[in-house]
Amino acid sequence: MSREQFWFFHPFRVRYSEIDGQGVVFNAHYLTYFDTTITEYFRALGFDQYADAQTSGIDFHVVKSVIEYKAPVRFDWELDVGARVARIGNSSLTFELAIFLKSGEDALVTGEIVWVYTNQQTHRPVAIPASIRTLIATRERHLPA
């Protein structure tokens, strides 16, 4: 993945508490970086996912997480984490994510997160509404509105 594939980035600085005995970011922290970036992605779109879930009783569940480590990420590095919606299904969103050194071009880590829009009482999938699809398509030009 390359930097130009993303319109949205969220900055991070690797904290000492996030590295392991090898001096690189401990593997579980990459999912935190991705999750935080997705939250900020929706904030940038003007969508309050938390408020929507409280009102509608429908929210997204993570059903798949994939991380591919291409290079180590070390303490005190300044990072940009890119996020984009690569695909919208009937009830699912597939995010592609990549971690870059601040202003770097090569992805150090890439990932895929799949969410399913789910009724919070039944835990069954429901269709993603047109309003959310349209909102995402305003920035993700490769997706149909």
Side-chain angles (χ1 to χ4, degrees), residues 6-12 30-50 59-66 81-86 93-98 111-116 136 140:
F6 300 93
W7 69 269
F8 181 80
F9 293 89
H10 187 67
F12 290 88
Y30 294 102
L31 289 173
T32 300
Y33 295 165
F34 289 166
D35 186 65
T36 302
T37 300
I38 291 170
T39 297
E40 295 303 324
Y41 171 98
F42 279 113
R43 189 184 319 272
L45 285 176
F47 178 64
D48 187 338
Q49 177 193 348
Y50 182 78
D59 201 358
F60 290 98
H61 288 188
V62 174
V63 297
K64 180 179 178 183
S65 300
V66 176
V81 180
R84 72 185 205 128
V85 174
L93 293 176
T94 301
F95 296 92
E96 289 180 344
L97 301 113
E112 177 185 87
I113 305 288
V114 179
W115 280 5
V116 172
I136 292 169
E140 304 291 359

